[in-house]
């Protein structure tokens, strides 16, 4: 039972850090172009030369 004193705040802290990281990545535009990488792999390399 005494381990819950440490584990519950640790779980809340890690959950808060994960939520903060998700919101930061969302606000910085990481999820705006999800199809771009999928389309880029289909392009010919000759166009880049």
């Amino acid at each position: 039972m005494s381990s819950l004193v440490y584990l519950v705040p640790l779980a809340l802290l890690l959950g808060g850090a994960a939520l903060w990281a998700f919101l930061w990545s969302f606000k910085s535009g990481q999820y705006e172009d999800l199809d771009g990488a999928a389309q880029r792999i289909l392009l010919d390399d000759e166009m880049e030369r």
Side-chain angles (χ1 to χ4, degrees):
M1 216 41 173
S2 64
S3 63
L4 289 178
V5 173
Y6 299 108
L7 292 178
V8 170
L10 180 64
L12 291 174
L13 182 68
L14 289 175
L19 180 64
W20 175 81
F22 172 73
L23 292 175
W24 172 78
S25 67
F26 191 74
K27 287 180 182 180
S28 68
Q30 295 290 321
Y31 299 109
E32 285 187 8
D33 186 20
L34 296 178
D35 293 330
Q39 297 293 328
R40 264 184 267 130
I41 199 165
L42 298 175
L43 296 176
D44 285 336
D45 291 336
E46 294 176 8
M47 296 176 84
E48 295 177 9
R49 293 183 192 166

